[in-house]
């Protein structure tokens, strides 16, 4: 069964490459440049009957688009935050947000890679495209075309990612101004629904009511770490112990193997997405004990735990550093692997919020957060977990 | 082969005795082995009184290796955390941990490495069931709910709950996980019956002639019938030689400078206590 499939695939690839050779100008080596960066890929763009075809995967990673492939229909669906483009292999028909359009050259599979028309894809999502005949260079400009103002509010967990992205994009676009403010997920969701920001940030999933007006786009993954003072000898707690500590049922460190000292519970404020996630995933939807001290940001709760010898708190792994100690839960700590595999008990996604379908520069900002550049150079570097 | 083993035992004895004189945790480890001379034990106890804050052996591992780490080192001074395979290997490479234990292959390890056990899963049915063999494709189709029967039989699916290692391993090996925005989500149909322990899976299947379940490969007993996978029965030799595919070796890794703690751990896995621990969690020993 497997062998015959493999054979079939080889025959298919050979057939496709022979048929393509007729139209492909093999002598030309085409360079692909996206936002002034030369894209290195094992698959080079090709010109077929005067149309430049580029590898779909490479382009979408760089542009922050999501791709899904329907094997039965041979259809590739490319989604940016504002546009949905559907190409069909071998067909000159394609759609942009449902509107039918026609190509001069159909997308095709070359050596196992889906190749799509450069100009049609770029223009469909609102990117500018140029082709330089002399240097054989195809250039797409997307994250370098941003102008105007963007106001972003909400989750302090997501704030460092949004701020770093804003700083980078403002360097790349001199007429762009982005302001990023905290306030917590609750405020971010409210502002987005009310239209008082351009983009919101949330570190918790939206409720059914909220999804009626607000759309959430996943831009990073995260683990909520239980943190204690570095001098605390407790290294591990069971999920049940964590629950009882934050509910105020376990009150002394000696009950969980530590020294005889009262546990000082630190928490986030009521609107916090991090608090909502802890209550949802660990506390069976009950509320953190009322005597706990609330802090209004990820940075403040970390500082409090760093300062107080008997404190316990919780924070995004993006904020955790050597000033606090992470306690494992049932011997598991939050890392990229334990969160991605779903093994760590407090893994979650982080979302950028839009009121309906975003447009213009806000849509491009949201796409940037999902791009390979942002995931590699901001999300992972800031200590969060990538979506790729 | 036999000679190798003799050399290894001799080596670990020498290393073990060497370790006693310097370090309580190593001494304490060796108490669990069967061949520790009595005099050395006395030294170990004396030292223990002097220094109770002796540094633990730091062991980092993958999620699938966690039950093994916990059971094997019970009562011993090991510092254990599951951080994931990549992070565990990194921890050893950057000397943040002495030992890494992960499910995978020897090729993935740098420095000293050895397979210490096998983790795996087996599909089980009631002994009265006519079902003898199952294919990976049948498992995938049936457990995702895409197909409604296996070989014409409509069976009740019984699975360990999501938090149990056997469930995670099952989803990983077949694979029955989908990636949504970088987070892996189970593709198993909601129609499956979920129970809290591996033993409960065995009980359900033992009591229901129309049930099919999943357990750790080392847990199979006479109450249920283990299905062949792609025509291969799960047994000691097919697991070790890899012809039974629903299994993964558990690899221990250390830097050469930590060969003492490395060999102490290897000996621990081969001791009677070690073998009992391995069987208890449903893993399979190397021999």
């Amino acid at each position: 069964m497997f062998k015959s499939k493999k054979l079939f695939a080889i025959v298919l690839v050979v057939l496709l490459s022979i048929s393509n050779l007729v139209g492909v100008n093999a002598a030309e080596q085409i360079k692909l440049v996206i936002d002034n960066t030369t894209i290195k890929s094992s698959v080079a763009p090709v010109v077929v009957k005067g149309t430049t075809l580029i590898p779909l995967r490479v382009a979408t990673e760089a542009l922050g688009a999501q791709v899904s492939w329907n094997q039965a229909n041979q259809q590739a669906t490319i989604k940016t935050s504002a546009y949905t483009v559907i190409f069909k292999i071998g067909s000159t028909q394609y759609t942009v947000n449902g509107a039918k359009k026609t190509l001069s050259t159909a997308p095709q599979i070359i050596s196992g890679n889906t190749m799509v028309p450069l100009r049609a894809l770029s223009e469909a999502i609102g990117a500018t495209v140029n082709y330089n005949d002399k240097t054989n260079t195809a250039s797409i400009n997307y994250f370098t075309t941003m102008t105007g103002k963007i106001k972003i509010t909400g989750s302090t967990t997501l704030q460092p990612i949004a701020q770093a992205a804003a700083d980078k994009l403002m360097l790349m676009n001199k007429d762009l101004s982005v302001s990023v403010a905290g306030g917590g997920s609750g405020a971010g969701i409210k502002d987005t629904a009310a239209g008082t920001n351009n983009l919101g940030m949330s570190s918790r999933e939206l409720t059914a009511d909220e999804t009626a007006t607000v759309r959430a786009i996943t831009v990073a993954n995260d683990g909520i770490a239980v943190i204690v003072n570095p001098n605390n000898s407790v290294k591990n707690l069971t999920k049940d112990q964590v629950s009882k500590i934050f509910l105020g049922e376990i009150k002394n460190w000696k009950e969980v193997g530590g020294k005889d000292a009262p546990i000082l519970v630190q928490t986030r404020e009521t609107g916090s997405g991090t608090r909502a996630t802890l209550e949802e995933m660990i506390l069976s939807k009950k509320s953190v004990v009322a005597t706990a001290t609330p802090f209004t940001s990820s940075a403040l709760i970390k500082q409090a735990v760093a300062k107080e010898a008997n404190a316990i708190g919780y924070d995004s792994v993006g904020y955790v550093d050597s000033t606090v100690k992470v306690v494992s839960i049932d011997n598991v700590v939050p890392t990229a692997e334990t969160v991605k595999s779903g093994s760590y008990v407090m893994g979650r996604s982080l979302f950028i919020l839009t009121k309906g379908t975003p447009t213009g520069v806000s849509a491009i900002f949201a796409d940037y957060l999902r791009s390979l550049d942002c995931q590699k150079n901001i999300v992972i570097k800031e200590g969060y977990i990538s979506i790729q | 082969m036999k000679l190798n083993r003799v050399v290894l035992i001799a080596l670990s004895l020498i290393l073990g005795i060497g370790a006693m004189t310097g370090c309580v945790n190593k001494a304490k480890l060796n108490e669990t082995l069967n061949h520790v001379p009595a005099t050395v034990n006395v030294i170990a106890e004396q030292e223990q009184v002097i220094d109770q804050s002796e540094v633990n052996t730091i062991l980092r591992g993958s999620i699938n290796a966690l039950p093994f780490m916990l059971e094997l080192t019970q009562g011993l001074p090991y510092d254990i955390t599951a951080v994931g395979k990549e992070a565990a290997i990194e921890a050893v490479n950057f000397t943040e941990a002495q030992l890494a234990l992960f499910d995978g292959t020897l090729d993935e390890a740098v420095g000293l490495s050895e397979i210490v056990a096998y983790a795996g899963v087996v599909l089980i049915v009631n002994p009265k069931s006519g079902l003898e063999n199952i294919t990976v494709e049948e498992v995938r189709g049936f457990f995702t709910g895409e197909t409604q029967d296996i070989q014409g039989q409509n069976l009740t699916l019984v699975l360990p709950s999501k938090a149990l290692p056997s469930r995670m391993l099952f989803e990983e090996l077949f694979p029955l996980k989908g990636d949504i925005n970088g987070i892996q989500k189970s593709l198993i149909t909601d129609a499956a019956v979920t129970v809290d322990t591996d033993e409960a899976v065995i009980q359900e299947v033992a009591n229901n002639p129309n049930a099919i379940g999943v357990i750790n490969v080392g847990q199979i007993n006479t109450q249920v019938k283990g299905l062949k996978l792609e025509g291969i029965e799960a047994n000691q030799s097919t697991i070790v030689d890899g012809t039974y595919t629903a299994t993964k070796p558990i690899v221990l890794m250390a830097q050469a400078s930590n060969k003492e703690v490395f060999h102490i751990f290897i000996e621990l896995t081969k001791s009677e206590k070690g073998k009992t621990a391995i069987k208890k969690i449903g893993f399979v020993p190397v021999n």
Side-chain angles (χ1 to χ4, degrees):
Chain A
M1 187 64 193
F2 179 66
K3 266 197 178 162
S4 68
K5 259 191 189 167
K6 201 167 169 188
L7 191 64
F8 177 70
I10 292 171
V11 171
L12 190 72
V13 167
V14 170
L15 280 177
L16 280 170
S17 16
I18 292 170
S19 68
N20 283 326
L21 283 178
V22 186
V24 177
N25 188 344
E28 284 177 31
Q29 262 294 350
I30 297 158
K31 212 165 91 174
L32 178 62
V33 174
I34 300 179
D35 292 319
N36 306 326
T37 305
T38 303
I39 303 297
K40 283 178 202 140
S41 157
S42 53
V43 194
V46 293
V47 175
V48 179
K49 294 178 201 155
T51 299
T52 309
L53 299 179
I54 57 168
L56 176 63
R57 182 74 49 188
V58 174
T60 49
E61 276 181 356
L63 300 171
Q66 267 177 287
V67 184
S68 51
W69 172 251
N70 184 323
Q71 182 67 27
N73 301 337
Q74 294 282 295
Q75 267 182 358
T77 303
I78 301 136
K79 272 188 181 172
T80 64
S81 59
Y83 296 99
T84 302
V85 187
I86 303 175
F87 287 116
K88 190 171 173 164
I89 298 301
S91 167
T92 53
Q93 300 292 310
Y94 73 110
T95 63
V96 179
N97 281 358
K100 281 186 189 161
K101 301 200 170 198
T102 308
L103 298 161
S104 54
T105 303
Q108 46 197 272
I109 294 174
I110 300 176
S111 310
N113 293 285
T114 306
M115 306 292 283
V116 294
L118 163 75
R119 187 167 296 274
L121 173 65
S122 307
E123 288 177 354
I125 63 165
T128 62
V129 58
N130 281 300
Y131 191 84
N132 186 327
D133 282 331
K134 282 180 195 150
T135 56
N136 281 335
T137 304
S139 325
I140 302 175
N141 285 305
Y142 192 48
F143 301 125
T144 44
T145 60
M146 300 169 78
T147 57
K149 284 184 178 174
I150 308 174
K151 185 181 175 189
I152 306 172
T153 62
S155 162
T156 57
T157 301
L158 196 47
Q159 205 177 344
I161 295 175
Q163 188 62 60
D167 292 346
K168 184 157 185 182
L169 290 173
M170 284 192 282
L171 270 179
M172 287 159 65
N173 300 277
K174 64 177 172 38
D175 294 324
L176 176 71
S177 155
V178 187
S179 72
V180 183
S185 299
I189 295 164
K190 233 166 103 184
D191 292 350
T192 309
T196 54
N197 65 15
N198 301 107
L199 294 169
M201 300 179 283
S202 175
S203 67
R204 66 160 171 85
E205 310 243 354
L206 298 178
T207 63
D209 286 351
E210 289 161 353
T211 53
T213 46
V214 178
R215 215 180 110 194
I217 302 165
T218 309
V219 294
N221 292 312
D222 182 33
I224 299 176
V226 168
I227 50 172
V228 295
N229 190 275
N231 296 323
N232 195 321
S233 64
V234 173
K235 287 177 179 164
N236 177 61
L237 294 167
T238 65
K239 188 183 164 191
D240 189 51
Q241 286 171 334
V242 175
S243 172
K244 285 185 169 143
I245 288 172
F246 283 101
L247 290 173
E249 292 163 18
I250 291 178
K251 294 185 169 100
N252 193 300
W253 281 111
K254 75 176 176 194
E255 293 175 67
V256 292
K259 61 177 180 181
D260 184 4
I263 299 176
L264 188 66
V265 178
Q266 317 281 33
T267 185
R268 287 290 309 280
E269 81 284 8
T270 328
S272 155
T274 307
R275 175 169 174 160
T277 309
L278 174 96
E279 291 177 343
E280 166 90 25
M281 291 174 160
I282 301 275
L283 308 186
S284 314
K285 298 184 182 172
K286 288 179 206 153
S287 199
V288 172
V289 61
T291 52
T293 319
F295 294 89
T296 54
S297 76
S298 306
L300 289 173
I301 190 170
K302 182 184 74 182
Q303 282 169 23
V305 173
K307 229 160 50 187
E308 290 283 351
N310 298 319
I312 188 167
Y314 52 92
D315 213 340
S316 156
V317 290
Y319 275 85
V320 169
D321 56 25
S322 60
T323 62
V324 291
K325 190 173 91 175
V326 175
V327 173
S328 55
I329 304 177
D330 291 324
N331 297 101
V332 182
V333 288
T335 62
E337 274 171 271
T338 61
V339 168
K340 277 174 177 258
S341 64
S343 316
Y344 182 67
V345 69
M346 276 197 288
R348 59 172 174 174
S349 293
L350 305 176
F351 308 95
I352 204 86
L353 310 172
T354 65
K355 189 179 185 181
T357 302
T359 52
V361 71
S362 301
I364 302 176
F365 190 91
D367 289 338
Y368 178 71
L369 293 173
R370 290 187 60 97
S371 71
L372 190 62
D373 180 46
C374 179
Q375 292 296 316
K376 256 171 61 182
N377 298 317
I378 295 177
V379 171
I380 294 174
K381 279 206 181 127
E382 292 283 340
Y384 298 85
I385 296 154
S386 92
I387 56 169
Q388 278 154 349
Chain B
M1 200 63 192
K2 259 190 177 170
L3 188 67
N4 269 344
R5 203 154 166 212
V6 172
V7 172
L8 192 66
I9 292 174
L11 184 72
S12 43
L13 255 175
I14 295 164
L15 287 171
I17 293 167
M20 306 281 149
T21 51
C23 190
V24 172
N25 68 330
K26 288 166 199 160
K28 214 173 161 192
L29 283 180
N30 279 275
E31 283 175 42
T32 63
L33 304 178
N34 307 324
H35 45 59
V36 177
T39 47
V40 182
N41 267 334
V42 173
I43 298 168
E45 275 161 25
Q46 283 171 352
E47 280 195 0
Q48 202 167 6
V49 175
I50 299 162
D51 184 8
Q52 290 200 343
S53 63
E54 183 63 46
V55 179
N56 294 336
T57 300
I58 300 172
L59 173 59
R60 296 288 174 262
S62 65
I63 291 286
N64 288 333
L66 181 60
F68 183 81
M69 300 194 285
L70 288 174
E71 188 63 37
L72 196 71
T73 63
Q74 239 178 51
L76 302 175
Y78 278 90
D79 175 334
I80 285 169
T81 309
V83 294
K85 174 161 51 178
E86 262 179 49
I89 293 172
E90 218 168 80
V92 164
N93 287 339
F94 290 101
T95 65
E96 287 157 9
Q98 282 123 304
L99 299 173
L101 195 69
F102 59 85
D103 50 306
T105 61
L106 292 173
D107 300 343
E108 294 171 87
V110 192
L112 301 171
S113 64
E114 189 166 331
I115 294 172
V116 291
Y118 293 84
V121 291
V122 61
L123 287 118
I124 52 167
V125 291
N126 191 281
K128 287 182 195 148
S129 165
L131 220 56
E132 298 291 337
N133 179 50
I134 197 162
T135 67
V136 172
E137 212 173 311
E138 283 171 335
V139 172
R140 282 183 55 79
F142 195 56
F143 280 82
T144 53
E146 274 170 34
T147 49
Q148 302 307 311
D149 66 274
I150 294 178
Q151 297 159 35
Q153 296 189 40
N154 200 330
L155 302 168
T156 303
L157 304 178
V158 187
L159 284 166
S161 75
K162 276 184 188 166
L164 289 177
S166 49
R167 168 71 174 264
M168 288 190 251
L169 195 59
F170 174 59
E171 290 183 0
E172 196 181 308
L173 286 166
F174 275 85
L176 289 158
K177 277 182 168 186
D179 190 309
I180 301 164
N181 285 317
I183 300 280
Q184 287 161 7
K185 298 258 157 78
S186 173
L187 297 177
I188 291 174
T189 168
D190 293 336
V193 174
T194 302
V195 294
D196 288 338
T197 63
D198 293 302
E199 291 70 27
V201 176
I202 295 175
Q203 282 312 317
E204 285 282 328
V205 174
N207 294 332
N208 182 353
N210 295 313
I212 182 166
V214 179
I215 55 167
N216 286 306
V217 72
Q219 268 171 325
I220 197 149
N221 64 23
T222 51
Q223 289 176 280
V224 290
K225 178 166 74 177
L227 291 178
K228 288 180 184 168
L229 183 66
E230 305 283 350
I232 309 288
E233 184 190 275
N235 61 40
Q236 182 74 37
S237 60
T238 59
I239 288 166
V240 172
D241 70 21
T243 49
Y244 180 77
T245 52
T247 178
K248 276 185 144 186
I250 301 291
V251 175
L252 180 74
M253 175 189 137
Q255 286 203 19
S257 55
N258 282 313
K259 65 176 186 237
E260 285 183 30
V261 282
F262 178 82
H263 286 295
I264 288 167
F265 193 92
I266 297 282
E267 280 305 298
L268 180 59
T269 63
K270 290 178 178 166
S271 68
E272 282 313 307
K273 176 190 160 146
K275 284 186 177 172
T276 309
I278 289 168
K279 284 176 186 157
K280 191 176 168 196
I281 54 165
F283 282 25
V284 173
V286 284
N287 51 33

